[in-house]
Amino acid sequence: MTHSLLQPFDQRQGWLWLDGEFIQWDRARLHVLTHGLHYASSVFEGERAYAGRVFRLDEHTQRLLESARMLDFEIPYTAQNIKDATRELLEKNDLVNGYIRPVAWRGSEQISTAARASRIHLAIAAWEWPRYFEESSHQSGISLQTAIWRRPPPCSSPFKAKAASHYMIATLSKHAAERSGFDDALMLDWRGQIAESTSANLFFVREDALHTPLPDCFLDGITRQTVISLADEHGLRVVERAIFPDEIPYFEECFMTGTAVEVCPVGRIDNHAYQRFAVGKSLARSFREKAMRLTESLDHAI
């Protein structure tokens, strides 16, 4: 199951970065008529720090800025401003290994679908978060239930943006899966093809190849891209293609990738159980090693 976060986020201690300054965690405030709350005009990132350095910070920061532009607003800080603030925030919170969440949104100046006059806000939070799923799940694999909600076609939204609006059906799907005793949900796209989990990309293993869905209506994750770059070192071909649910029993393994989950094996999808985890666990070790090597080089070197 998902890693337990017993302490509510609004009751934690530490520092946040908000609109250009560091404030105490419990001083963060948001007006109830904020456009981002009512109309989902919000974009965010999920990042991880290993040994005091943020993994692929350049790519995450650029995606944050581009996501905002796809939602028709401009974040009023440069990439360098954001990266500097992120690094300083880790130091102020005395975090060596942790999770970082930058989020940008339209403010409360206008409360209508049009909000071009609204101020754009940016906040960055960071906290200790060892695992998204419990450690035991990384050994035996998590379980996925196929969701009733589907990823919509690319013409319906700017799917390349990491936008809050894309996660409503993910929340509904994950809630339904958890009520049924599963850890997460498997999401199909509007065509009935396998897309992703609620917040991570998927890979399947057959013989010497990794099969992964084409990200043509969902996010092409930065961890996904990293795992693809590692495949050759493991003697694995990567096949990006349409994958259908009836293929699930014919794969040898399945695993998911994402900043929060890192690389995590899947032990069951609906009624089908996977018995092998060797490839996924090997790639998980390689991913961790690559992330740790970041401490020996500049952020953009990986």
Side-chain angles (χ1 to χ4, degrees), residues 16-252:
L16 297 169
W17 188 92
L18 176 62
D19 291 336
E21 63 177 329
F22 291 96
I23 64 170
Q24 289 288 338
W25 192 285
D26 57 5
R27 286 185 55 209
R29 295 291 181 268
L30 194 68
H31 197 275
V32 295
L33 294 182
T34 293
H35 194 272
L37 176 63
H38 290 257
Y39 295 97
S41 54
S42 170
V43 297
F44 66 97
E45 277 296 315
E47 304 163 2
R48 272 197 183 273
Y50 298 92
R53 302 291 292 275
V54 181
F55 181 65
R56 298 186 69 167
L57 180 57
D58 281 354
E59 288 90 335
H60 280 290
T61 304
Q62 287 301 323
R63 189 171 67 180
L64 179 72
L65 294 168
E66 287 301 318
S67 292
R69 293 178 187 126
M70 282 185 264
L71 265 64
D72 198 30
F73 67 83
E74 194 78 23
I75 294 175
Y77 299 94
T78 67
Q80 193 61 53
N81 292 153
I82 297 168
K83 290 188 291 185
D84 289 345
T86 300
R87 295 185 182 105
E88 190 172 349
L89 182 67
L90 287 174
E91 293 179 6
K92 287 183 74 69
N93 284 319
D94 197 26
L95 279 173
V96 177
N97 300 301
Y99 187 82
I100 303 98
R101 171 57 59 89
V103 57
W105 68 95
R106 286 191 174 98
S108 54
E109 289 76 12
Q110 284 183 281
I111 193 67
S112 67
T113 51
R116 286 179 292 174
S118 291
R119 181 185 174 191
I120 305 303
H121 298 270
L122 176 66
I124 308 172
W127 63 92
E128 186 177 357
W129 195 9
R131 290 286 197 184
Y132 184 79
F133 293 106
E134 300 289 352
E135 184 62 38
S136 59
S137 297
H138 283 261
Q139 300 304 316
S140 60
I142 67 156
S143 57
L144 300 177
Q145 180 187 51
T146 301
I148 61 170
W149 298 101
R150 294 191 174 190
R151 283 288 172 220
C155 60
S156 67
S157 69
F159 71 91
K160 291 184 179 179
K162 194 170 176 67
S165 56
H166 295 154
Y167 286 81
M168 181 266 291
I169 58 174
T171 296
L172 292 173
S173 299
K174 189 171 175 68
H175 284 182
E178 290 178 338
R179 281 194 295 269
S180 298
F182 291 80
D183 297 306
D184 204 346
L186 170 71
M187 303 197 71
L188 308 180
D189 67 17
W190 85 102
R191 298 163 295 198
Q193 298 174 11
I194 291 174
E196 58 178 351
S197 75
T198 57
S199 56
N201 294 121
L202 290 170
F203 286 84
F204 297 88
V205 181
R206 183 183 293 154
E207 296 177 348
D208 62 345
L210 298 180
H211 298 255
T212 187
L214 280 164
D216 58 1
C217 63
F218 56 89
L219 206 64
D220 181 6
I222 290 173
T223 306
R224 176 185 186 273
Q225 297 166 25
T226 304
V227 166
I228 287 174
S229 74
L230 290 169
D232 187 59
E233 299 174 17
H234 290 254
L236 296 164
R237 295 182 298 112
V238 177
V239 182
E240 296 182 86
R241 64 175 180 88
I243 302 175
F244 292 88
D246 60 5
E247 297 182 66
I248 288 172
Y250 300 101
F251 292 111
E252 299 157 10

Side-chain angles (χ1 to χ4, degrees), residues 140-142 144 194 203-205 245 247-255 265-277:
S140 60
I142 67 156
L144 300 177
I194 291 174
F203 286 84
F204 297 88
V205 181
E247 297 182 66
I248 288 172
Y250 300 101
F251 292 111
E252 299 157 10
E253 292 186 39
C254 178
F255 61 89
V266 173
R268 179 163 63 103
I269 300 177
D270 297 323
N271 294 323
H272 178 76
Y274 290 103
Q275 304 298 329
R276 284 185 49 185
F277 309 109

